[in-house]
Structures are given as structure tokens and as C-alpha cells.
Amino acid sequence: MKKILFCVTIATLFICSCQGNTKKTQADFEQSEHKVMPHWYAKDSLFFSKLEPAEDVIECAKSFIDVPYKASTLEVGDDFYPVINFEAFDCTTFVENVLVLASLDSLTEDSFVQKLTEFRYRSGKPLGYSSRLHYFSEWVQVNQDKGLIEDITQKLGGVSVTKPIDFMSTHRQSYPALLKDDKNYNKILEIEKNLSKQTYYVVPKTTLDMHIDAIKDGDVIALATTIKGLDYVHLGFAIWVDNRLHLLHASSKAQKVVISEKDLVDYVTHRSNISGVTVLRLRKDDE
């Protein structure tokens, strides 16, 4: 049985590794096959040697309960180095890190970083700000094409959605990388133009209760939104508690990773900015 390292141990190891070995030069990172943002992760630490792959998505996700929430954890660099931060998550980085840990059969620094960049970046490589999959509808499309996840939404009665996507460009002031760099801004404009023509699938919240039994522990739940110019507003993992389906997520309200107090149907029904859900399932390499 593969082991899951619980959140307290993970956070402690990460903090100790960063405090104990932070004075690394750019040359140190250039020598690594997979470069990691030095602001967040100290190379040659003991962190990865203490981790083992997760056998089960939901058990891995549960091991991070109570880890602090932090908004915009990826908006700290130029995306030529992948940010790795286990001290705090936003909803996207929580899902990404859990999926990476659950997808690996053998966990090393290089295998973790390689798989993380495969999930996070369009080409699987950090080639700058616009190379990151900022909009979750594109994240789904690209990672399904890579064989990393399966979008099962249509099987659950999902309907096709096409809408103008332009939230980032119309809120340029909220994204430092767009505000200070016209090249990044223009690339995002082009990405948004293409995404506005694409279709993604959503189970309407009015019919979600009809399909809830087909959702499994550990499925990714992405909350589609009615907000103008935006595709999704939040995501987490499905978790069954006392025969009710809940959301395990990095919560901005709770300021930490939690299991939602309300069940998923109730959670989405009473939020006017949520139109429904997209449901994804991790694919293992041997599947």
C-alpha cells in the first residue's frame, strides 16, 4: 500500500527545507533538468525524498485539509519556472498538486516537476506567462488531449456551452503580468479569441441531482459561472460524506482546505453566479 503524507508533515517539511537551503544562485537552477521557481522551493532539499505517490486521489486530497488558502499563488513569477508551494493553495493549485501526486507511480523531484508542468502549461513546458493554462476550459481541453484526465460531463447530461471569454483582458489591472507587459496582454487576447469559439460541457445545476450518483470520490468538480467573460469560478474534489456529495476544496471563505458544510447540490443551487458543474476524472498512465 502506497503511503499518503499528511498535510501537517508536508507543510513542516516544506518550511524546513526552504529555511535550511535558500541561498541558491540562478546557475544552480539552470543546471537542473526541470527548473523550479526558487522563490518557493529550495533545490536539493529533503522535501521530495520524504514523499511517496498517492494511491487514491481523495485520500491525497484529504491529507491537505486545513492547509491555508492563498489567492493567486501563481502570480509571483514570469512562468519560466513552475511555482511549487505546499504552504498554501488557491483552488487551482490545490487540484493540480493533488492530481500530480495521485498520478505518479514513482515520486522524485524531477518526476513531480515534469508532471506538474505537463498539467499546468499548454506545451508541458513553462515558456512564459501566456504558456500557462489560465482559463480552466482550456485546461480541461488540453489535459484531456494529453490523456491526463477524462471529461465525463457529457455522460452526466452535460450541455454544450460557448460564450465570449475575455475576463483577463477586460480586467487587465488585476493581472500584474498583463499590466506591465503588452506582449503578454496581446497573447492573452489571442488566446481569449480562440477560446470564445470553443465549446465546453456543463451539467446545469437544475439537473445536477439527477446525475449525482455517477460522480465518484476524487472526481474534479469545476463550477461553471455566469460571470461575464469567464468560464469557471471555482474547483475542488467530489467527496461522499454520509451518502451526500460534498466539495473538498481550497476555500477563500474558510481560508483553508475544507470539506463544504453544504452538499454539492445545495452549494451550487444557492449561488447565483454558478450555472452548473463540469466533472473530470484522473487517468493513470496504465489506463
Side-chain angles (χ1 to χ4, degrees):
M1 180 68 69
K2 296 176 183 176
K3 300 177 183 177
I4 306 290
L5 192 62
F6 288 88
C7 57
V8 175
T9 308
I10 287 178
T12 302
L13 280 171
F14 189 87
I15 293 168
C16 290
S17 70
C18 287
Q19 289 175 342
N21 190 10
T22 57
K23 294 183 179 180
K24 289 289 180 181
T25 67
Q26 182 69 24
D28 292 321
F29 291 95
E30 291 295 339
Q31 292 172 6
S32 176
E33 180 183 357
H34 304 295
K35 303 176 183 63
V36 181
M37 184 67 182
H39 179 74
W40 289 111
Y41 172 65
K43 184 172 161 44
D44 298 329
S45 74
L46 296 175
F47 180 66
F48 284 97
S49 67
K50 299 295 185 181
L51 286 177
E52 293 189 21
E55 190 168 83
D56 183 84
V57 173
I58 199 61
E59 289 304 317
C60 182
K62 285 164 61 178
S63 74
F64 290 102
I65 287 176
D66 290 331
V67 170
Y69 172 90
K70 181 178 175 61
S72 304
T73 55
L74 299 183
E75 302 297 318
V76 296
D78 55 13
D79 280 288
F80 287 102
Y81 299 96
V83 172
I84 296 178
N85 180 8
F86 282 91
E87 288 188 277
F89 298 117
D90 59 31
C91 67
T92 301
T93 58
F94 171 56
V95 167
E96 282 184 337
N97 279 285
V98 169
L99 291 179
V100 170
L101 289 171
S103 64
L104 293 173
D105 291 324
S106 178
L107 181 57
T108 64
E109 176 190 335
D110 278 350
S111 68
F112 182 91
V113 177
Q114 184 176 27
K115 183 63 72 173
L116 179 66
T117 55
E118 191 176 2
F119 270 108
R120 184 175 292 172
Y121 295 95
R122 194 172 294 103
S123 68
K125 297 179 180 179
L127 301 174
Y129 189 76
S130 63
S131 69
R132 179 157 37 106
L133 297 166
H134 295 275
Y135 285 102
F136 199 67
S137 57
E138 187 182 17
W139 190 101
V140 173
Q141 173 193 324
V142 169
N143 284 313
Q144 181 162 244
D145 288 345
K146 291 177 181 178
L148 299 176
I149 52 106
E150 179 187 5
D151 185 349
I152 64 171
T153 310
Q154 280 185 273
K155 299 176 182 177
L156 303 181
V159 300
S160 62
V161 175
T162 303
K163 65 183 289 189
I165 302 295
D166 60 5
F167 188 87
M168 292 180 68
S169 62
T170 57
H171 295 77
R172 186 177 183 180
Q173 69 281 359
S174 299
Y175 300 90
L178 300 185
L179 194 59
K180 66 183 181 181
D181 192 322
D182 287 340
K183 183 180 292 187
N184 283 336
Y185 177 72
N186 290 329
K187 287 181 178 178
I188 290 297
L189 281 174
E190 186 63 29
I191 290 167
E192 291 176 336
K193 181 179 178 180
N194 291 332
L195 288 178
S196 297
K197 303 173 186 176
Q198 301 298 317
T199 295
Y200 56 98
Y201 291 89
V202 174
V203 179
K205 63 182 180 181
T206 53
T207 63
L208 178 58
D209 60 341
M210 298 168 53
H211 307 283
I212 208 80
D213 289 342
I215 299 175
K216 297 180 179 180
D217 275 345
D219 285 346
V220 176
I221 305 294
L223 306 184
T225 185
T226 59
I227 295 173
K228 183 179 178 181
L230 192 59
D231 48 6
Y232 294 91
V233 72
H234 193 50
L235 59 151
F237 292 101
I239 183 169
W240 286 93
V241 180
D242 296 329
N243 296 317
R244 307 289 292 182
L245 189 64
H246 290 252
L247 187 68
L248 173 52
H249 60 135
S251 168
S252 58
K253 181 179 179 180
Q255 287 293 294
K256 60 183 179 180
V257 175
V258 295
I259 298 174
S260 61
E261 293 183 2
K262 296 180 178 179
D263 65 54
L264 183 62
V265 172
D266 198 18
Y267 185 94
V268 302
T269 298
H270 294 94
R271 284 169 168 77
S272 60
N273 68 341
I274 295 176
S275 59
V277 305
T278 293
V279 185
L280 315 172
R281 191 162 290 163
L282 178 67
R283 293 179 62 89
K284 293 272 193 169
D285 290 338
D286 56 354
E287 294 179 345

